[in-house]
Each structure stands twice: as C-alpha cells, then as structure tokens.
C-alpha cells in the first residue's frame, strides 16, 4: 500500500509518498516564503492561489521521480486543519478529486498530529507513551501521548506560540520574514551575558507558557541600544536563551509529572539547534531519551502527513463530501482504530 500525502495548511506546498512496509519513498516541498516576504507575513489569498498552481504539477513530478504509477497508490491523505481555510480547501479538494478519480479512499489528517508523529519517521523511533513538545508557528503545547489519537494536553501557550514569538521578535530587530531561523542564526554570535531576559511563568506551578512579554522586553532593550549588529546579536541571544530555558524547565516538569522517560520534539521551532543541544544535555544528565526529526521534517512537509495517515487507515473515507477545520484542537481527536502496525 502506498499513501500519497498532501500538505497545504499554510505557506508550504508539500507532497509525499509513503509505503506501508518500506516507509517514506520520497517527498517534495515548495516554500512560498519569497511570495510573502514582500508583505512581512503570510497573505492567505496569495497562499491559496500559489497552492493551486503548484500542487498538481508537484504530484506529477513526485510520481515521475519515484517511478510510481497512479494505479499503485492506495490512499490519498491531506491536511484537513488546523490552518488557513483557503489553503486547506485547495489541498482537500485536490486530494478528494484525486481519490475520486483513482477510486481509492481519502484520509483527513490533523496537521499537528502530523508534526507530533514526525519523529517516528526516524530511527531510532520513540515508542508510546511519551511527552511531546509541539513548538511551531501556531502552537506551543506539552502533550502526554499514550497512543495515536490518545493525547492529553498538559500545558500550552496562553498567548503567542513559540514560533510566533521568534518571528515577531525577529521583526522588531529588523530581521524580516520569516524571522525565526534568521534570529537563531545571529543569536549564535551573541554574547549571552550582555542582556538577561525573564523566564516567563517558571516560578508558577503548571505547564502553561507565555511568550508575549519577551517581545516587550526585546523592544525596550533594542531601543536602549545604538541598534548595531552587536546589540542585535546580543538581544537575539538573550531572547533565544529565555525561550530555550523556559521550555527546558517545563519539559523536565512534564516528564516528572507523567513519569514518562521519552521526550519528543516536533514543529518548526524544534529545528532550533540551541533548543536541541540544551535538551540533549539535560536528557543525558537526567537519563531520559530525546527524539526529534531531521531538520526538513521539523517544519511543514507532506512526509509527516502521509506518515500519520499510515496510522489512520481506519479513518479512510470513500464518500465525496469533505470539511476543513481552520481551528481544530488536538484533544478532539479520537484514538486510531486498531489496525495491523506498519513499519
Ligand atoms: N531554527 C529555528 N529557530 C527558531 N524558530 C524556528 C526555526 N526554524 C523555524 N522556526 C519557526 O518555526 C515556525 C514554522 O514552523 P511550522 O512550519 O511548524 O509552523 P506552522 O505550520 O506555521 O504552524 P502550525 O504548525 O502551528 O500550524 C516559524 O515560526 C519559524 O520562525
Ligand atoms: Mg506546521
């Protein structure tokens, strides 16, 4: 069985082929960054139009590249939410149309479940149960994961998501869009003792986060400098240190509360090297196992959608109506139906 995965929830068009026994066969990703950079953020209508233009040619290119005939595809999986409604509708309607044309079932996938299970694309893979830290452009959540679809939210951001905080802080420092990776790059050269930012909410019990105050801290710190490259790097470093420390403290707390011994990182911010290295050091010290996907599977991609669908074959639909869910809490998902385990 081969699943075609489609991802169009925001500003990346992704397609992937996942073989139930052989694993991921291949994937393609097109990023719309250049289209949106001009406006300093994602313009939803432009995102939808771009997905329309790119999606079908990318499906054809991937099939050609992998020498797979459409008749070999058993399921089409697509991101049904959360995300931008227009962008989601493009992926959902193309996926459903392909499934209808090829007379195979389609599977609607939750984008964050895709992120959450992405570390299982790697070897060694984590095994259930584990604590997942979802840190992306729209989410910051600590989740107790007992199985596919068995998710208990332990804590989450009360305001900005971690990625959103990276992007907004980068913008304040004049680093353009998308700012997260750019901020991380210059932070590497910053002096960590030049500024000290607070670690929000760590002195309170619980596992919730709040990152929006760090923006104000950035703004006042930045205005008090002569705004040169050195202060830019130092402030970027202070911001990154504050986010990484805060996340690390909460991850340790979540592991303690659940008693689980595995921590899984997923979502765009999990690509942050400083975060990965800090948690790796803590994992070695405290004796828990740490997992995160390779860089290209941290941010949006279709490999994670096709892969998640391999656990959700029991949810495959043959009818032709579909819905997308711009807002869709992860906790609303139902456990996956019992099916033979795939590789
Ligand atoms: N190295 C990095 N350091 C910090 N942040 C990063 C890094 N790489 C990517 N990001 C951030 O990750 C986010 C993008 O991640 P992702 O594609 O998973 O988010 P999204 O799909 O927009 O949001 P969601 O998955 O919540 O719907 C952006 O906010 C980006 O700045
Ligand atoms: Mg995402």
């Amino acid at each position: 069985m081969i699943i075609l995965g489609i991802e169009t929830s925001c500003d990346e068009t992704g397609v992937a082929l996942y073989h139930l026994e052989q694993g991921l066969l291949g994937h393609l990703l097109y990023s719309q960054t250049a289209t949106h950079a001009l406006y300093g953020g994602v313009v939803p209508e432009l995102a939808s139009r771009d997905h329309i233009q790119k999606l079908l040619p990318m499906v054809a290119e991937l099939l050609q590249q992998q020498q797979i005939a459409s008749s070999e595809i058993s399921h089409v999986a697509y991101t049904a939410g959360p995300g931008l409604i227009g962008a989601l509708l493009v992926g959902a309607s193309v996926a459903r149309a392909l499934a209808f044309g090829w007379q195979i079932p389609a599977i609607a996938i939750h984008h964050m479940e895709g992120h959450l299970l992405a570390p299982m694309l790697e070897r060694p893979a984590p095994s259930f149960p584990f604590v997942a830290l979802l840190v992306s452009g729209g989410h910051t959540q600590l989740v107790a994961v007992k199985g596919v679809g068995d998710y208990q939210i332990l804590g989450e951001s009360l305001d900005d998501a971690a990625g959103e905080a990276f992007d907004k802080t980068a913008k304040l420092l004049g680093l353009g869009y998308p700012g997260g990776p750019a901020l991380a790059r210059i932070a590497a050269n910053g002096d960590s003792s030049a500024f000290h930012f607070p670690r929000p909410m760590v002195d309170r019990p619980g596992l919730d986060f709040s990152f929006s105050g760090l923006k104000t801290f950035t703004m006042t710190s930045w205005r008090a400098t002569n705004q040169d490259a050195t202060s830019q790097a130092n402030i970027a470093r202070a911001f990154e240190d504050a986010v990484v420390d805060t996340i690390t403290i909460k991850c340790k707390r979540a592991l303690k509360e659940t008693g689980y011994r595995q921590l899984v990182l997923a979502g765009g911010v999990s690509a942050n090297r400083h975060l990965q290295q800090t948690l790796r050091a803590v994992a070695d010290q405290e004796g828990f196992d740490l997992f995160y996907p390779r860089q290209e599977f941290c941010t949006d991609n279709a490999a994670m959608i096709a892969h998640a669908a391999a656990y959700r074959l029991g949810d495959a639909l043959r009818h032709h109506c579909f819905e997308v869910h711009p807002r869709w809490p992860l906790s609303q998902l139902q456990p996956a139906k019992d099916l033979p385990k795939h590789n």
Side-chain angles (χ1 to χ4, degrees):
M1 281 204 266
I2 298 177
I3 302 168
L4 169 68
I6 289 178
E7 158 63 36
T8 63
S9 67
C10 189
D11 58 345
E12 259 107 22
T13 316
V15 294
L17 289 169
Y18 188 88
H19 189 292
L20 234 52
E21 280 87 44
Q22 296 165 22
L24 185 68
L25 300 179
H27 81 115
L28 296 175
L29 190 72
Y30 171 77
S31 172
Q32 303 176 352
T33 304
T35 308
H36 303 293
L38 205 61
Y39 306 94
V42 178
V43 183
E45 183 56 26
L46 293 182
S48 312
R49 288 188 213 175
D50 217 17
H51 288 309
I52 292 173
Q53 289 190 340
K54 296 292 180 326
L55 188 51
L56 273 174
M58 283 173 69
V59 171
E61 187 186 337
L62 183 64
L63 292 180
Q64 160 81 21
Q65 189 193 82
Q66 296 300 321
Q67 293 289 293
I68 300 284
S70 57
S71 56
E72 292 175 79
I73 296 175
S74 59
H75 299 78
V76 186
Y78 62 95
T79 302
L84 301 171
I85 189 158
L88 290 168
L89 278 168
V90 176
S93 42
V94 168
R96 288 294 183 144
L98 288 175
F100 177 61
W102 293 338
Q103 303 213 339
I104 55 175
I107 310 175
I109 295 296
H110 191 293
H111 179 81
M112 298 313 293
E113 180 168 76
H115 275 306
L116 192 152
L117 300 176
M120 298 176 91
L121 277 161
E122 310 294 1
R123 294 294 173 267
S127 52
F128 303 117
F130 53 77
V131 169
L133 169 74
L134 290 178
V135 271
S136 59
H139 295 79
T140 303
Q141 292 182 318
L142 276 164
V143 190
V145 180
K146 295 194 189 109
V148 178
D150 193 348
Y151 308 134
Q152 184 196 348
I153 310 294
L154 301 169
E156 58 194 334
S157 178
L158 304 178
D159 40 57
D160 292 354
E164 190 182 355
F166 263 93
D167 293 337
K168 287 178 176 169
T169 302
K171 204 168 184 173
L172 284 172
L173 294 176
L175 294 170
Y177 161 88
L183 187 145
R185 255 192 313 277
I186 66 160
N189 302 319
D191 172 4
S192 60
S193 62
F195 292 89
H196 185 79
F197 281 22
R199 275 52 176 157
M201 293 183 67
V202 294
D203 49 358
R204 280 189 240 171
L207 295 166
D208 287 335
F209 301 87
S210 165
F211 293 118
S212 73
L214 293 176
K215 275 181 321 214
T216 322
F217 226 85
T218 300
M219 195 153 42
T220 38
S221 307
W222 180 233
R223 282 185 184 154
T225 68
N226 54 3
Q227 308 194 347
D228 59 2
T230 307
S231 355
Q232 201 183 32
N234 290 346
I235 292 175
R237 177 62 188 264
F239 168 83
E240 192 183 60
D241 281 352
V243 173
V244 168
D245 269 6
T246 307
I247 288 177
T248 304
I249 291 167
K250 300 280 163 127
C251 285
K252 276 163 65 175
R253 218 179 263 179
L255 287 165
K256 197 166 172 205
E257 268 184 28
T258 54
Y260 297 169
R261 304 306 301 157
Q262 297 176 95
L263 178 66
V264 164
L265 313 184
V269 181
S270 65
N272 185 278
R273 294 269 181 241
H274 185 29
L275 179 65
Q276 292 174 351
Q277 285 162 1
T278 306
L279 285 170
R280 174 70 64 206
V282 174
D284 291 347
Q285 214 172 53
E286 309 239 329
F288 63 83
D289 294 323
L290 178 69
F291 303 85
Y292 49 83
R294 73 195 81 162
Q295 197 92 0
E296 64 185 304
F297 295 156
C298 289
T299 42
D300 289 353
N301 64 86
M304 68 181 193
I305 301 304
H307 168 255
Y311 291 91
R312 291 253 175 218
L313 297 178
D315 295 339
L317 299 170
R318 281 189 177 271
H319 65 69
H320 312 305
C321 330
F322 64 86
E323 288 178 354
V324 293
H325 314 279
R327 289 181 187 276
W328 191 5
L330 190 63
S331 52
Q332 280 180 3
L333 289 185
Q334 296 297 313
K337 301 201 173 74
D338 240 0
L339 284 166
K341 257 194 107 171
H342 69 280
N343 265 342

